[in-house]
Amino acid sequence: MDLDVFVTAHRAEWDRLDFLLSRGRNLTGAEADELVALYQRTATHLSLIQSSAPDPILIGRLTQLVARARSTVTGTRRAGWRDVVTFLTAGFPAAVYRSRHWWIPTAVLSTLLAAVIGWWIGAHPEVQSAIAAPDELRQLTKPGGDYETYYSSHPAASFAAQVWTNNAQAAAMCLTLGAFLCLPVIWILFLNMLNLGIGIGLMASAGRLDTFLGLVLPHGLLELTAVFVAAGTGLRLGWTVVDPGPLSRRAALARQGRAALGMAIGLALVLFVSGVIEGFVTPSGLPTWARIAIGVAAEVAFLAYVYILGGRAARAGDTGDVEEADRSAEVPTAA
């Protein structure tokens, strides 16, 4: 594209848009329609220049012009309770549902990894001795040992808050660091599965695997599902860097990033529920079967929420992204 010729051909439109914007609300009906048309054309011009003939000065001017026009055309919209309800009943579950092809394989492979690590540690005493001294291992695994008292070592409310904060941070890191070619997400997942596998292996070697699972499953089902969803979304974001599809890499990352931000908010609520279970149900005096039943019920409720509400919203076209009026203009690139 010859930039000088392009600028000469469209400068009058940009100047006209600038003039209409300077008039504020003092526009006739025809001028308002003209402003909208010029805004759309200028946004397209900006995208073309960014992808074909980047010029910092010209891009800066058009970016400012498009931003002013966008503000005038769309107006200022404040989020309300309607937005919260829409997000919880459509946007968030739809985003989780649409990313299921990423987080379900992530969950399966991660669980298998934790099981293999647990088997390897449980079947090899020399590996156990490399983890800790025999006295320390007994302190961890004995009845009333560290694995059991961990869940009742602090007041339930403060423990639940601490667990929720830690898990929410881990999920947010998976969601945001995925753009770095997925590597940080894989590392975070590995550390989580390593810790789980060590617990499985050590308690299994002490003949107390049932006790360990009875402590982990009530909150762990929902908690790990949330972590897997975050990790799968982060991996999807990282893959967008490699293969942005029909959009420019910048536009594709912006779209996935906005969905990931909404996912972080929704998963924080899910992890809050798992934190409450971990703080109040896991260390409670309820029978093991009752505690596990509560965990299973929470997990089934979340999956039903995703597949029923999320599936319906996704089939209706909801992607978990912000409303179209709040997005920047996107122009597909050549295949």
Side-chain angles (χ1 to χ4, degrees):
M1 181 176 70
D2 189 320
L3 186 59
D4 292 333
V5 173
F6 189 85
V7 171
T8 300
H10 298 289
R11 186 191 300 275
E13 293 177 301
W14 304 336
D15 291 341
R16 176 63 177 171
L17 177 59
D18 190 19
F19 170 74
L20 292 176
L21 291 172
S22 67
R23 294 189 57 190
R25 298 181 178 273
N26 300 318
L27 298 176
T28 64
E31 288 174 333
D33 292 339
E34 182 185 7
L35 187 149
V36 172
L38 288 173
Y39 158 61
Q40 294 172 334
R41 286 204 293 270
T42 304
T44 302
H45 297 161
L46 175 59
S47 297
L48 290 173
I49 292 172
Q50 287 175 325
S51 60
S52 303
D55 178 274
I57 297 177
L58 182 58
I59 287 176
R61 182 200 171 189
L62 292 184
T63 298
Q64 184 181 34
L65 192 59
V66 168
R68 290 170 55 205
R70 180 183 180 82
S71 177
T72 300
V73 170
T74 62
T76 302
R77 191 179 69 86
R78 294 183 179 180
W81 285 109
R82 174 182 171 274
D83 299 288
V84 175
V85 172
T86 301
F87 170 75
L88 293 177
T89 59
F92 171 59
V96 178
Y97 179 83
R98 291 175 68 92
S99 64
R100 68 193 185 282
H101 298 302
W102 287 89
W103 62 263
I104 290 178
T106 298
V108 172
L109 293 175
S110 298
T111 303
L112 288 175
L113 176 61
V116 169
I117 292 174
W119 167 82
W120 181 57
I121 292 174
H124 296 83
E126 66 276 12
V127 177
Q128 300 169 30
S129 62
I131 295 174
D135 290 343
E136 294 174 328
L137 293 178
R138 281 192 293 272
Q139 178 60 34
L140 284 170
T141 59
K142 69 179 183 180
D146 291 346
Y147 272 125
E148 289 187 42
T149 58
Y150 168 75
Y151 296 102
S152 56
S153 57
H154 300 284
S158 62
F159 182 71
Q162 178 184 351
V163 167
W164 174 56
T165 301
N166 293 337
N167 290 332
Q169 288 177 343
M173 289 175 64
C174 285
L175 289 166
T176 57
L177 297 180
F180 295 96
L181 298 178
C182 306
L183 297 178
V185 177
I186 295 173
W187 179 246
I188 293 170
L189 266 180
F190 173 75
L191 291 179
N192 276 274
M193 294 306 102
L194 177 62
N195 289 332
L196 179 60
I198 289 174
I200 291 173
L202 294 181
M203 290 293 276
S205 67
R208 308 194 67 233
L209 181 59
D210 56 339
T211 299
F212 182 76
L213 294 179
L215 291 170
V216 170
L217 289 179
H219 63 274
L221 290 172
L222 187 60
E223 177 184 302
L224 286 175
T225 299
V227 171
F228 294 146
V229 170
T233 304
L235 293 174
R236 184 182 185 184
L237 182 62
W239 184 250
T240 302
V241 178
V242 179
D243 181 15
L247 296 175
S248 68
R249 184 166 282 104
R250 178 180 178 181
L253 278 173
R255 174 180 291 183
Q256 293 296 337
R258 291 191 299 266
L261 178 60
M263 194 87 80
I265 298 172
L267 289 178
L269 298 176
V270 176
L271 288 169
F272 174 77
V273 175
S274 73
V276 169
I277 295 174
E278 187 168 0
F280 291 91
V281 175
T282 299
S284 71
L286 291 173
T288 300
W289 67 265
R291 290 186 278 113
I292 293 178
I294 291 173
V296 170
E299 175 74 358
V300 170
F302 176 70
L303 293 178
Y305 166 72
V306 168
Y307 275 85
I308 296 175
L309 291 184
R312 182 188 306 156
R315 288 188 291 273
D318 200 320
T319 64
D321 199 352
V322 297
E323 293 185 10
E324 186 174 359
D326 296 324
R327 306 174 198 166
S328 59
E330 298 175 354
V331 176
T333 59

